[in-house]
Structures are given as structure tokens and as C-alpha cells.
Amino acid sequence: MSITTEHVSVQNALDSMANPDPADVGAYIAEIEAYTSDETIAAIRQHALDDMANFLSNEPVKIELIKALTYDLWFRPWPARVSDARVGANPAEAFELANGIPLLDVMVAGQIISEIVSSGRFVVRRSDLVRAGATECAVEFVLKNMAYSANDYARRLRRDREQGPVTNQRYVFTERPFLRDDDDTVFALRYQWIVDRFFGSQLYWQTFFSFGPAKPGSAAEAFSLAMNYAFERVAGDILGRIASYSSKISRVVYESEMREEWSSTKGEAPSVCDFLLVAGRACILIDATNHHLSARLAQGLADVSAYDKDMDTSFVESKFNQILSTARLIREHLSFGVEANPVFIPYVVVPNNGLANITSVRLDWITRSAPFEELRGSARAPVPLRLSDLALFEGLGEAFSATPRDIADLLGSWTTLQPGPVPVSLRELLDQLGLPAPIPRSMLRDQAVLDALIQERRSEGGLPD
């Protein structure tokens, strides 16, 4: 709470007060109401940048859900279009090739440490890890790559402070979630940083940077491209399961099908999004991008111009245009069973450490949705969905399948169901509507499989009691 309070007091001193003076609140509201259109947009974008950094810095994590998504992404074979031998047979093998240690061995150490911290202990000793099943190599990997001495931390934190405000500083903590006391002992700093380091998004960066410089044609570049394909595959699989729970979604159409259907006689491939869910007139258009926020954006160190550039380059000029092009082709051809007078519901799926659909980000995307003006009345502004949000839709679809409700209705209209005029995040909406946030059975199965793999590996390593 202290981190959040400190953050909001920087944005607006009134937000850090339990009972601000009504006169001060009135003056602040009057100031906002006097904004010009340009000033309003500028304020929204500054808030989006600040709120996103604060959200990512303080978001709670649940190890079971992270494990499920990690198993699905890291332990399944690469999609067929990945053929570069330098990245192995799957992402887990790529991790081993880049780091010289099996990913499961590292996860065994992470599992043991998470159990130690969950029990209320924060001192982690080499002997405890080895005795509990971790290999010596895995323990050494943790000490070398995930811990800093007090002096190393001081140097790194000093360097970070030179870049700007550190209210939402977390990259150094998720990279190095342990304070090293000596060659055999570390202190755990924060549970959520530890979980992310061993099982979450930090696995990507550990592998990417360990492959060496990301030059054209490099192994690091090959890994990054392969992970983009794997991410897209995971999103498509979730969408397929969502559709299977709906009586209104008639089919899932994939990018390759759309390209084949709408290619010109000259063989020119059209610009299309990754997925289309068809539900009568409703066309749910989805593009998946494995776009991670940069360290400066994710920690609020970048300025609004850097945020603007990232939004325009990564979303408006690419994903928005692909979605819009798909909508035009659907209106022209009414392919794949789409009914006359189609309406379009666009989403962009991003990683869990990517852009969230919090209020300020959604407002910002509305200000950037000018390309969709030609679809006025039949489309709304795109909305970002993190992979965990997509899995939440799967859980809701599963729950709805035993009731008269249909997940297609929520996917198609959740942005209009909110009680007030200000857009809210998906999770806030579910809370307002009194709906649960169920975990899909597929995630529980994936988590159980990964836990079994970790336990099997754990039983093979370490020292006997």
C-alpha cells in the first residue's frame, strides 16, 4: 500500500489524502473540466503511462495460473513454421541451449523456494535447496543470475535512480529477487518477484539475452520470432476452446484461411488479423502480438512521447490496420457464414506483462481509434486483452455452458455492459456485475502436468535426507 500511495501522490496529491478538502477537490475538477481536447488527450496518455506502470508494479500473482500458462507456452513443441535448430524442439529446450541448464532443474529450485517463502521464511540456504531436491547446478544458477550482493544492489539502484523516478521500479527486483548474504545464503525479497522470475515472463528475457546479441539472423532473433509464433498458437487454442462452449459462435477462422479466401487473382496476400470468431452478424476480430512493454515504459521511466511512439508503432499502425482491413473484406464478401450488416468487436491479445485494459489505457485507445471512423455505428475501439484475460473468458465460457448464458454475448458486449460512462477493466466489470472469475479446467490440467514434471525432476536430484 505504501508503494501505491507514494505513486498516486506524485500524480495527484489529493489521491493520497484520506479526507481531502472539498474545496481542493472542486478546484481540481474545475481545472479538468476546463481542459481543451488536446489537453484532455495529453492528460489521458500521461495517466495511461503512470497507471500502467503502477498496475504492473503492484499486481498480485498466483503461482498456479502462471504455471498453467507457462506449461502451455514453454513445454509444448514449437509451431510447425519454426524450423531453426538453434532454438531446439520447444521453448524449454531453447532455455537449456541458451543457459546450459535444463529449465525443469531451475523450476525445481523455484518450487522449493516458493514453498519456503510461503511458509513465512525468507532466508534461503544452499544446503536447504539441495536437501529438498535441487541440483547443485541449479542452485549455482540461482545465486549467479538471480541474486545481488548489497554492494551490487546499491550500484544498480543508483544507476536506475539516475534515469528518473523509481516509484514503480521493479525490473531489477524481478531480475534479482534475492539479496545475497554470502556464497551459500540469500534473502528472498518479495514472493511475486520470485514467482515471475522462475515461472513467468522473466523466462523469456533470461533465454533471449543468454543467446547473445540480437543481431539480424542471430539465435536470439530466431528465438524471439519462434516465441511470437508460439504465443499466437496459445491464443488460438484458447479461442478454439471458448468457441466450443458457445452455441452462437459458429466457427473460428484463422489467418491462413482468411488469406486464402481473399487473395487476389495475382496472388497478393491481403492484410488480415490472426483470428475471426463468427457469431451471426457479430464478428469478433482478434490479433495476437507477443509485445512486451519496454523496461522504461513498464516502470514509468519513459515520457509520454515514448509511450505514444510505442502505441502507434506496435498497435495503431500495425494491429489496428490489420483488424480494419479484415473488417473491410468481411463487409465486401460476407465470407465464412457472416450474416448481412456485420458488426465488429476488435481485440488485441498481449502477454501478461503487456498492456492491460485498465480505464486510462482504454480511454487512450479510444482517442487512437480514428482509423475505425469508417465503421462508425458497426464497430467500437479495439481493446487490449492480456493472455490471462483471454483465459478468463474461457473459464466464463465453460461456466456459462451449463446455463442459458452464452460467452459470445459477453465477448461481444462487455464494453457496453459497464454501469457508468467511464470504461473499466474486464475484472472490474465482472466484480460490478457479480460474476465470478473461474479458472478453466484446461489451466488446472496444465498446472497439474507441470507440477508433476517438477516433482518427478525433484525426486531425481538433491541429496538424501
Side-chain angles (χ1 to χ4, degrees):
M1 291 302 294
S2 62
I3 296 174
T4 302
T5 302
E6 181 186 354
H7 175 270
V8 297
S9 66
V10 172
Q11 273 190 293
N12 178 10
L14 296 176
D15 287 339
S16 64
M17 301 178 186
N19 298 292
D21 189 317
D24 292 336
V25 174
Y28 180 65
I29 292 174
E31 179 184 340
I32 293 174
E33 290 176 341
Y35 282 171
T36 64
S37 295
D38 288 344
E39 288 173 334
T40 299
I41 291 173
I44 287 172
R45 292 177 179 176
Q46 183 64 58
H47 271 282
L49 174 59
D50 294 339
D51 294 346
M52 192 70 250
N54 182 240
F55 178 85
L56 290 172
S57 179
N58 293 287
E59 182 184 25
V61 297
K62 192 167 179 61
I63 190 171
E64 294 81 3
L65 301 186
I66 288 181
K67 281 181 176 178
L69 288 171
T70 296
Y71 174 77
D72 202 16
L73 183 62
W74 282 81
F75 288 89
R76 292 174 59 197
W78 290 117
R81 50 183 164 173
V82 178
S83 57
D84 195 317
R86 292 175 298 174
V87 298
N90 62 15
E93 207 168 286
F95 180 96
E96 183 173 359
L97 290 168
N99 293 285
I101 184 171
L103 178 55
L104 274 176
D105 285 358
V106 177
M107 286 186 168
V108 167
Q111 179 66 34
I112 296 167
I113 292 170
S114 71
E115 292 169 3
I116 290 173
V117 176
S118 295
S119 71
R121 294 178 289 140
F122 294 88
V123 178
V124 182
R125 296 181 176 85
R126 180 192 295 267
S127 57
D128 295 336
L129 294 177
V130 175
R131 189 175 297 110
T135 65
E136 285 280 3
C137 289
V139 175
E140 193 58 37
F141 183 86
V142 171
L143 293 171
K144 179 182 178 182
N145 294 280
M146 303 184 190
Y148 267 150
S149 67
N151 287 337
D152 288 338
Y153 245 122
R155 270 193 298 271
R156 178 71 178 270
L157 293 174
R158 240 188 332 265
R159 191 178 74 194
D160 285 355
R161 287 191 181 95
E162 291 171 357
Q163 298 182 53
V166 293
T167 309
N168 293 305
Q169 183 183 59
R170 67 185 179 89
Y171 264 54
V172 61
F173 298 125
T174 50
E175 178 192 338
R176 306 276 178 162
F178 302 101
L179 181 63
R180 188 166 182 165
D181 183 43
D182 54 39
D183 288 344
D184 296 306
T185 307
V186 295
F187 299 98
L189 296 179
R190 194 177 186 185
Y191 178 77
Q192 73 181 61
W193 296 333
I194 293 168
V195 170
D196 187 53
R197 188 64 172 93
F198 284 99
F199 304 102
S201 60
Q202 286 298 317
L203 294 177
Y204 175 91
W205 298 115
Q206 178 69 47
T207 308
F208 178 77
F209 289 120
S210 295
F211 266 126
K215 300 175 181 178
S218 65
E221 185 183 66
F223 170 72
S224 180
L225 182 61
M227 287 299 285
N228 292 345
Y229 293 144
F231 178 82
E232 190 177 308
R233 191 262 312 280
V234 170
D237 288 348
I238 295 175
L239 289 169
R241 292 192 292 269
I242 289 172
S244 73
Y245 294 124
S246 171
S247 61
K248 295 185 177 181
I249 298 174
S250 58
R251 67 179 294 183
V252 181
V253 186
Y254 296 87
E255 178 186 12
S256 58
E257 297 175 90
M258 289 184 269
R259 287 185 180 277
E260 183 178 355
E261 176 74 14
W262 296 322
S263 290
S264 69
T265 55
K266 297 180 181 179
E268 295 174 352
S271 175
V272 295
C273 60
D274 293 323
F275 309 101
L276 161 65
L277 303 186
V278 180
R281 289 178 59 211
C283 300
I284 301 168
L285 304 172
I286 299 172
D287 208 274
T289 174
N290 192 30
H291 178 65
H292 304 259
L293 290 174
S294 71
R296 291 184 61 78
L297 284 173
Q299 298 181 103
L301 294 172
D303 58 21
V304 174
S305 64
Y307 171 80
D308 278 343
K309 182 178 180 180
D310 188 63
M311 292 302 103
D312 287 339
T313 303
S314 304
F315 297 104
V316 178
E317 296 169 4
S318 53
K319 302 308 172 184
F320 285 20
N321 285 336
Q322 287 175 298
I323 290 171
L324 182 58
S325 173
T326 308
R328 291 191 191 109
L329 289 164
I330 290 171
R331 291 176 74 176
E332 180 181 352
H333 299 284
L334 293 180
S335 310
F336 309 113
V338 175
E339 296 177 3
N341 301 312
V343 293
F344 304 101
I345 304 99
Y347 293 101
V348 179
V349 178
V350 297
N352 283 339
N353 66 337
L355 211 59
N357 48 63
I358 55 176
T359 294
S360 52
V361 170
R362 288 196 53 204
L363 286 170
D364 177 39
W365 276 31
I366 289 171
T367 70
R368 298 179 189 274
S369 61
F372 289 85
E373 279 297 305
E374 67 180 81
L375 300 177
R376 181 187 288 273
S378 61
R380 56 127 171 93
V383 174
L385 278 182
R386 298 198 298 172
L387 204 58
S388 57
D389 294 321
L390 199 61
L392 179 53
F393 273 118
E394 180 189 344
L396 287 164
E398 200 170 64
F400 287 177
S401 64
T403 73
R405 307 186 76 156
D406 197 293
I407 190 60
D409 297 327
L410 188 60
L411 265 170
S413 61
W414 75 274
T415 56
T416 61
L417 289 172
Q418 56 205 32
V422 178
V424 296
S425 71
L426 176 60
R427 290 185 179 271
E428 286 177 296
L429 176 70
L430 296 182
D431 185 59
Q432 291 174 1
L433 297 178
L435 289 174
I439 301 172
R441 284 196 297 267
S442 65
M443 292 189 75
L444 297 176
R445 288 194 297 268
D446 287 344
Q447 179 232 326
V449 172
L450 182 54
D451 277 341
L453 291 173
I454 291 172
Q455 184 55 42
E456 180 182 4
R457 193 77 170 195
R458 183 174 179 175
S459 65
E460 298 170 354
L463 297 173
D465 291 331

